[in-house]
Amino acid sequence: MRADEVPPNLGDLVPPHHRAGFHEYLARVKREGRAEGLGTVLASDGTRRVWHFHSSIRREGVAEPVVRSIVTDVTDARARERLLADRETRLRHAQKIEAVGKLAGGIAHDFNNILTVIAGHLALATDESQLMPAQARADLEEVTRAVGQATRLTRRLLGFSRKQLLAPRVVDVNALITELEPMLARVLDERIAFAAHPSPTPARINIDPSVLESALVNLAVNARDAMPDGGTLTVDTVVRGRMVTIVVRDSGTGMDPETLARAGEPFFTTKGAGVGTGLGLAMIYGSVEQSGGSIRMESTPGAGTVVHLLFPVATGDSDAETPTEEHRAARRSTPPPPSVRPVSVLVVEDEDPLRRLVERILVREGYHVTPARHGADALHIVSALDDPIELLITDLVMPELGGREVTEALRATNPSLPVLYISGYDPDPVGLDVGDQANTAFLAKPFTGSALLEHVRRLAPPRRDAAR
Ligand SMILES: Nc1ncnc2c1ncn2[C@@H]1O[C@H](COP(=O)(O)OP(=O)(O)OP(=O)(O)O)[C@@H](O)[C@H]1O
Ligand SMILES: [Mg+2]
C-alpha cells in the first residue's frame, strides 16, 4: 500500500471483526500516552496485511487529542519467521526420530542375534518333540508362537530405524492393491465399507512390495481402530506427472493437531497398554522413506484422516526378478540328497551362541564344520588346514576383520570359494552387492535352520563323484 493511499483514519482499514480490538488499542494509547502492537488491516487490493503499530498521543495545539502511529508492514517478515520456525520444528522432530531409531535399531540388531539362537534351538527341540509328553510339546508350540511375535516386532523396529533388508523391484501399485484386498478385508470388519480406486494408467514404482503391503495393512488397522462404529475406507491411486500417490482415507474419529503432530513418533500411541505399540506409523515412515517415498497426513477431528503415500514413478520398465526372488525360488525347490562326502564349512561368527547354533544345524546334516571366533582366527585356522574349505559362512560386521575382508583373503588363494554372509544389517549401506555373484549369498538374522540349510545346499552342493 502506498503512503498516499493510507487514509487519515487508520481505523477505516481495520476489518470489521478486528475493530473492537483496535478500539481497545486506541484507548490504551490514550490512557498510557503510547503503545505498540500488531494489527490486521485490509489493503486496497483486498489482501490482508499485518502491520506493526507504534503509536503515541498528541494533545498540545489540537482541540481533540490525536493518535499518531508509525506503521511497518511486517506481513512478509512474519511469514518468513513462521516458515523458519516450522522448518526448525520439523528438523527437531526428524532428529528425535533419528535418535530413537538408532537406539531401537541397535537393540533390535542384538535382539535379532538372540532370537536366531532361540528360534534355532527351538526348531531342533521341536524336531525331536515326538518323544516328549503332550504337554511339553504344547508348551514348545506356545514358545514358537511367541518367538514368531518377537521376530515380527524386531522387524518393525528394524523397519523404522531404516536398517530393513529391502529388495526393491518395479511393481504396479494397482495390481498390488488388488492382490491385497482380501487381506485388507480380513483386517476390517463388516461395518466398514472398503473401496479401492485404481488409476486408469499403470502406477509403476520401484519398491519392495512388502513395504507397501505392511504400510497399507497398518494404515487399514489404524483406520479400523478409528472407526469403532463403522465407516468407510478408500484407497485411491493417482498418477500425476512423475509421481504416484496412494491416498488412504477413513471416516473415523480423526486426530487433533497435537496427536497428528506426534502420530509418527515411535512408541506414540493413544491406544491402551497392550493394545497399540505405537510403532505402526513410525515403521511406515521409516520403510517408505527408505524406499525413496514420502508421507503426508491430514486429519480433522470427527471427520477422518487422509494419508498420502508419495513415490516417484519407476524409470526402468523391467519386472526382472531380483536376487531375493531367485533365493525364494531356490527355497521352494526340493533339497538335494544329503552329501556323501562331508562338505567342509568354515563358520566365522563372533557371537558364541549363534556360532554354536549354526555349527549344530550343519553337523546334524552331515557337514564338516570348522568354527572360528573372528576374522583373524579364521585366517589362522585356514592356514593350518590340510584340506580346502568349500564354503565360508561369515558374519558381515565384526570388530577388526569383517566378513568381506575374510572373504577377500580366502578368495586370494581360492577364487571360487562360495560365501554366505549372515547379518542383521542391510547389505547395501555396508557396500555389499550380493546380487552380482552366483557364489555369494546373504542371509538376514534372525534366520531359521531351514533357510540356512537351503542357502548352504545351493552354494555348496554335495559332490558325490568326488566321494567315490
Ligand atoms: N487413521 C487414524 N485415525 C485416527 N487416529 C489415528 C489414525 N492413525 C493413527 N492414529 C493415531 O496415531 C497413533 C499412532 O499410530 P500408530 O499406528 O503409530 O500406533 P498404534 O496404532 O497406536 O499402535 P500399533 O500400530 O503399533 O499397533 C494412534 O495411537 C492413534 O492415536
Ligand atoms: Mg497402528
Side-chain angles (χ1 to χ4, degrees):
M1 185 177 301
R2 293 201 325 263
D4 58 0
E5 289 173 350
V6 179
N9 191 353
L10 278 180
D12 293 348
L13 289 177
V14 177
H17 64 282
H18 281 278
R19 290 233 168 105
F22 187 68
H23 289 304
E24 244 167 64
Y25 174 77
L26 289 181
R28 185 145 61 92
V29 179
K30 285 178 188 153
R31 214 170 41 243
E32 296 170 7
R34 58 181 62 242
E36 59 181 307
L38 293 174
T40 306
V41 299
L42 277 177
S44 48
D45 62 358
T47 59
R48 260 161 207 274
R49 311 292 300 176
V50 180
W51 280 4
H52 177 259
F53 287 79
H54 193 282
S55 318
S56 55
I57 191 120
R58 188 176 155 215
R59 297 177 204 276
E60 301 86 46
V62 283
E64 282 274 305
V66 179
V67 174
R68 247 193 339 206
S69 300
I70 298 168
V71 295
T72 321
D73 190 321
V74 293
T75 319
D76 299 338
R78 267 167 57 92
R80 264 198 306 277
E81 248 166 53
R82 209 170 297 150
L83 197 74
L84 273 179
D86 216 47
R87 235 181 251 161
E88 204 181 297
T89 314
R90 253 181 295 151
L91 184 67
R92 233 175 311 159
H93 190 242
Q95 282 169 339
K96 188 158 133 198
I97 294 205
E98 176 93 30
V100 185
K102 271 204 189 115
L103 176 74
I107 296 172
H109 172 255
D110 291 355
F111 196 61
N112 245 347
N113 284 341
I114 302 170
L115 264 183
T116 305
V117 175
I118 297 175
H121 285 283
L122 199 58
L124 291 173
T126 307
D127 276 357
E128 265 134 46
S129 64
Q130 295 89 336
L131 305 172
M132 291 180 184
Q135 183 56 53
R137 271 207 308 273
D139 291 345
L140 271 189
E141 276 166 28
E142 256 337 295
V143 178
T144 307
R145 252 194 299 280
V147 167
Q149 270 170 3
T151 305
R152 282 190 291 280
L153 183 64
T154 40
R155 287 253 160 78
R156 302 182 88 184
L157 283 169
L158 288 170
F160 87 73
S161 66
R162 290 158 215 200
K163 290 227 177 75
Q164 208 171 210
L165 288 156
L166 296 181
R169 60 187 170 93
V170 177
V171 293
D172 178 15
V173 172
N174 292 323
L176 191 127
I177 293 175
T178 309
E179 260 173 51
L180 213 59
E181 268 181 46
M183 202 205 290
L184 295 176
R186 231 174 300 138
V187 166
L188 305 168
D189 66 39
E190 60 279 5
R191 284 169 311 164
I192 297 173
F194 173 77
H197 304 119
S199 59
T201 54
R204 295 159 83 79
I205 62 173
N206 197 16
I207 197 169
D208 183 328
S210 71
V211 167
L212 215 50
E213 281 164 17
S214 86
L216 289 170
V217 170
N218 268 289
L219 291 176
V221 171
N222 282 352
R224 178 202 64 197
D225 292 349
M227 298 187 283
D229 305 318
T232 55
L233 174 67
T234 55
V235 178
D236 299 359
T237 309
V238 182
V239 184
R240 195 170 295 142
R242 306 300 303 157
M243 292 306 279
V244 172
T245 309
I246 304 164
V247 187
V248 182
R249 186 187 303 268
D250 69 55
S251 63
T253 52
M255 288 175 259
D256 55 37
E258 292 78 50
T259 308
L260 180 62
R262 298 197 58 194
E265 266 177 37
F267 304 111
F268 175 81
T269 179
T270 56
K271 298 166 192 174
V275 181
T277 57
L279 285 176
L281 285 173
M283 187 215 56
I284 298 175
Y285 271 93
S287 60
V288 164
E289 279 166 17
Q290 193 185 339
S291 307
S294 61
I295 299 179
R296 241 167 263 155
M297 236 181 348
E298 289 150 29
S299 194
T300 315
T305 302
V306 190
V307 182
H308 297 252
L309 304 175
L310 297 98
F311 298 96
V313 168
T315 39
D317 55 0
S318 93
D319 223 328
E321 294 217 326
T322 61
T324 318
E325 264 305 307
E326 272 166 37
H327 293 172
R328 277 196 205 124
R331 247 176 255 161
R332 280 193 294 269
S333 68
T334 40
S339 91
V340 175
R341 178 180 60 76
V343 172
S344 172
V345 185
L346 175 65
V347 178
V348 193
E349 165 65 61
D350 55 351
E351 300 254 347
D352 293 346
L354 193 55
R355 190 183 58 247
R356 281 199 298 270
L357 173 68
V358 171
E359 193 178 347
R360 230 188 115 186
I361 294 171
L362 293 178
V363 167
R364 236 169 66 128
E365 290 293 305
Y367 289 89
H368 183 272
V369 178
T370 307
R373 290 194 322 277
H374 49 74
D377 191 28
L379 299 188
H380 181 73
I381 290 173
V382 169
S383 68
L385 285 180
D386 291 333
D387 293 321
I389 288 293
E390 292 167 287
L391 170 67
L392 167 66
I393 299 180
T394 179
D395 192 2
L396 195 50
V397 184
M398 290 180 291
E400 288 174 51
L401 215 57
R404 264 180 312 162
E405 286 77 27
V406 175
T407 302
E408 227 165 81
L410 294 184
R411 279 191 178 158
T413 51
N414 185 359
S416 60
L417 176 69
V419 177
L420 174 61
Y421 291 107
I422 46 177
S423 179
Y425 288 111
D426 190 333
D428 250 2
V430 285
L432 183 75
D433 190 0
V434 290
D436 276 2
Q437 297 149 306
N439 63 345
T440 307
F442 182 88
L443 182 61
K445 295 173 185 174
F447 49 79
T448 60
S450 52
L452 173 74
L453 286 171
E454 275 149 21
H455 277 293
V456 168
R457 286 185 193 118
R458 189 177 63 80
L459 288 168
R463 296 213 198 101
R464 300 176 145 263
D465 46 358
R468 272 184 220 132

